[in-house]
Amino acid sequence: MREGSLEAPIRHPLNWQEPWFWDEAALEKEMERVFDICHGCRRCFNLCDSFPRLFDLIDEGPTGELDGVKKEDFAKVEEACTLCDMCFMTKCPYVPPHEWALDFPHLMLRHRAVKARKDGIDFVEAQLADTDRSGRLGSWAAGLANWATDERNQTTRRSLERLAGIHHGARLPRYAGETFEIRARREGTELNAEAPAYGKRKAVLYATCFVNFNNTDIGAAARAVLAKNGVETEVVHPACCGMPKLELGDLNGVAEAAGKVTAALLPWVEKGYDVVALTPSCALMLKFEWPLLLPKDAAVDRLSRATFDLSEYVVDIAKKDGLAPGMEPLEGGVSMHLACHSRAQNMGAKGAEMLRLVPKTRVAVIERCSGHGGIWGARTENFEIAVKVGKPAAQAALKSNTAYVASECPLAAEHLMQVMEMTAGEEKPQPFRANHPIELMAEAYGITVRKP
């Protein structure tokens, strides 16, 4: 038997529509198998909190082996998993095609799905996962929503903690006063006919919940940079990609989201448009998670093959067509955090690669997890762990001492900045705001997109 594998990881379909997937005895047996292998390996000890929890349960048990761990305690390991995929993508030597075929994140997802089917999904968690509805309401009443959710407003935040289990100190996304779809129609773009890529590409931007409802500057920067490079763009947001529901184990909900978004985006593909997702979690869903969830769906497969992550798309333009000239250096350099869901796309460090296209700009790469994990890190029971996990990344950013901090994941970026502030103490760190790398590329081009 081989000790490990140097072959490229292969991910198998989730098979959630097969009866054995939902069999609790079979699930428990598979968890025993995988946990025992993890116990003997322990390469993932410094990733998320799942592995320290597992190893502590074993080491503090009566036998020092997995047989000394109570089966009901297996849930504690699953509860700490953020589905970041880093164990599968970067650490585990036993992923397929190795004969042991470990897929720890999808095993945790299966446990979550079985529990959700058996016990139901908590009402509050289900409401929090409906990001389209909360986004529409938040955008409609942005001033009130931003006031109420500001971590400095402890009166409302303590109430939110009691009602929704969101930690009173966790920094939450702010809402825009208009959606990105509306902003895009209002602002328009002017294509640069002198750009090398002019007339060669056109892209439909899948706005994503975060860009559509929270930070429209990311989308505006993407449109501006692509227009500067001669790329025609359209903006659509038919629905959420389903990542928040995936995190709850609501596989039916994810499948419904996949069907709705695919039906809206595929006609653009038929017209020759590339699909560009503006945040990495959504790109991961379209490119990988949906095809694994719906492996027999030809439409989902075609959309997957037509989809690019935003940074990946800009780098592809640079390599195949060339970029428009005119970028100026970003003085002071950039600390570029590699988001987990960017790395999980197995495309290389495209955010850092894109920023290195800006002339004479120092790019310091940070490969540690920010600790956020979507809504996971904002929960009352997880926030302190999220801060602990994110501290090495924050320390690396502070040590780099750059003028800018960037991450392709907006939630990771904000959490990283908060942990940097907490780590720095009274001396507030520079800068005071984290950026998406596309915003920095727009700045290098001299394009202003940030709304006051």
Side-chain angles (χ1 to χ4, degrees), residues 2-236:
R2 294 171 296 141
E3 174 59 25
S5 175
L6 297 178
E7 298 173 80
I10 298 172
R11 210 145 201 194
H12 296 312
L14 205 56
N15 291 321
W16 63 289
Q17 293 172 325
E18 298 293 335
W20 60 261
F21 181 91
W22 304 100
D23 187 281
E24 290 186 61
L27 171 61
E28 184 178 283
K29 185 176 180 179
E30 177 65 1
M31 293 182 80
E32 286 181 330
R33 184 186 78 88
V34 171
F35 285 0
D36 199 40
I37 294 171
C38 292
H39 162 47
C41 175
R42 303 205 174 198
R43 287 185 63 178
C44 294
F45 73 95
N46 63 344
L47 292 180
C48 69
D49 203 49
S50 285
F51 297 99
R53 288 191 188 189
L54 172 62
F55 302 147
D56 286 347
L57 286 169
I58 294 170
D59 295 343
E60 295 169 7
T63 67
E65 298 292 342
L66 187 66
D67 61 9
V69 178
K70 297 176 182 177
K71 301 298 186 294
E72 55 266 30
D73 286 341
F74 285 3
K76 296 178 181 179
V77 179
E78 173 265 305
E79 289 164 2
C81 178
T82 62
L83 302 180
C84 73
D85 287 338
M86 285 301 95
C87 56
F88 184 93
M89 296 301 303
T90 70
K91 288 283 189 178
C92 184
Y94 305 121
V95 299
H98 191 278
E99 58 198 295
W100 287 351
L102 266 66
D103 189 335
F104 189 93
H106 276 179
L107 178 61
M108 298 301 99
L109 176 59
R110 180 182 171 191
H111 183 277
R112 205 165 290 177
V114 170
K115 183 176 183 297
R117 173 179 279 195
K118 179 182 178 182
D119 301 332
I121 295 174
D122 178 79
F123 175 79
V124 172
E125 290 187 342
Q127 302 314 302
L128 292 172
D130 192 344
T131 49
D132 278 328
R133 182 175 60 189
S134 61
R136 286 191 294 269
L137 291 172
S139 294
W140 177 71
L144 177 61
N146 293 336
W147 170 81
T149 57
D150 193 310
E151 71 269 19
R152 292 168 295 185
N153 188 345
Q154 286 296 289
T155 301
T156 55
R157 286 302 302 272
R158 292 285 183 178
S159 298
L160 182 62
E161 183 171 67
R162 289 192 295 272
L163 291 171
I166 301 298
H167 193 279
H168 63 272
R171 185 165 296 169
L172 300 179
R174 298 180 67 80
Y175 290 99
E178 65 178 349
T179 67
F180 177 47
E181 286 183 296
I182 293 173
R183 179 177 177 179
R185 288 196 297 269
R186 177 174 56 79
E187 292 182 345
T189 58
E190 184 176 346
L191 298 187
N192 176 13
E194 303 300 319
Y198 178 75
K200 299 177 182 178
R201 294 171 182 252
K202 49 187 179 179
V204 57
L205 306 184
Y206 175 42
T208 74
C209 298
F210 192 93
V211 175
N212 199 43
F213 300 119
N214 299 103
N215 189 342
T216 63
D217 289 346
I218 295 172
R223 290 192 82 209
V225 168
L226 291 174
K228 179 73 174 179
N229 285 281
V231 180
E232 173 194 339
T233 57
E234 298 288 342
V235 176
V236 299

Side-chain angles (χ1 to χ4, degrees), residues 127-417:
Q127 302 314 302
L128 292 172
D130 192 344
T131 49
D132 278 328
R133 182 175 60 189
S134 61
R136 286 191 294 269
L137 291 172
S139 294
W140 177 71
L144 177 61
N146 293 336
W147 170 81
T149 57
D150 193 310
E151 71 269 19
R152 292 168 295 185
N153 188 345
Q154 286 296 289
T155 301
T156 55
R157 286 302 302 272
R158 292 285 183 178
S159 298
L160 182 62
E161 183 171 67
R162 289 192 295 272
L163 291 171
I166 301 298
H167 193 279
H168 63 272
R171 185 165 296 169
L172 300 179
R174 298 180 67 80
Y175 290 99
E178 65 178 349
T179 67
F180 177 47
E181 286 183 296
I182 293 173
R183 179 177 177 179
R185 288 196 297 269
R186 177 174 56 79
E187 292 182 345
T189 58
E190 184 176 346
L191 298 187
N192 176 13
E194 303 300 319
Y198 178 75
K200 299 177 182 178
R201 294 171 182 252
K202 49 187 179 179
V204 57
L205 306 184
Y206 175 42
T208 74
C209 298
F210 192 93
V211 175
N212 199 43
F213 300 119
N214 299 103
N215 189 342
T216 63
D217 289 346
I218 295 172
R223 290 192 82 209
V225 168
L226 291 174
K228 179 73 174 179
N229 285 281
V231 180
E232 173 194 339
T233 57
E234 298 288 342
V235 176
V236 299
H237 181 72
C240 173
C241 69
M243 174 63 83
K245 293 186 177 182
L246 185 79
E247 293 172 347
L248 296 180
D250 181 7
L251 302 186
N252 279 307
V254 179
E256 290 174 8
K260 185 173 183 178
V261 176
T262 299
L265 290 179
L266 204 55
W268 292 97
V269 178
E270 303 285 354
K271 292 186 287 187
Y273 282 75
D274 301 315
V275 177
V276 180
L278 298 183
T279 55
S281 295
C282 304
L284 180 68
M285 292 295 286
L286 272 65
K287 291 164 68 177
F288 294 98
E289 295 293 358
W290 286 0
L292 291 172
L293 200 67
L294 301 165
K296 297 179 181 179
D297 192 315
V300 165
D301 179 67
R302 184 165 186 196
L303 179 62
S304 169
R305 289 184 280 111
T307 298
F308 291 83
D309 179 271
L310 175 56
S311 298
E312 177 189 23
Y313 194 60
V314 175
V315 170
D316 193 63
I317 293 171
K319 289 182 175 179
K320 295 179 179 176
D321 305 306
L323 293 182
M327 284 190 285
E328 296 294 330
L330 295 168
E331 299 295 337
V334 184
S335 294
M336 178 64 207
H337 168 254
L338 303 185
C340 294
H341 285 167
S342 294
R343 298 172 70 188
Q345 293 177 56
N346 202 27
M347 61 183 179
K350 294 304 180 188
E353 192 175 346
M354 184 176 76
L355 286 176
R356 290 192 178 106
L357 297 171
V358 180
K360 299 180 182 178
T361 297
R362 178 170 69 96
V363 179
V365 173
I366 301 170
E367 294 189 75
R368 296 297 295 268
C369 179
S370 75
H372 195 274
I375 199 171
W376 182 92
R379 296 191 184 281
T380 304
E381 66 272 21
N382 298 331
F383 180 65
E384 291 183 5
I385 298 171
V387 171
K388 177 183 176 182
V389 172
K391 189 165 288 187
Q395 290 172 332
L398 290 168
K399 186 177 179 180
S400 296
N401 193 30
T402 55
Y404 302 90
V405 172
S407 176
E408 291 162 291
C409 176
L411 291 175
E414 288 304 313
H415 181 69
L416 181 61
M417 286 303 302

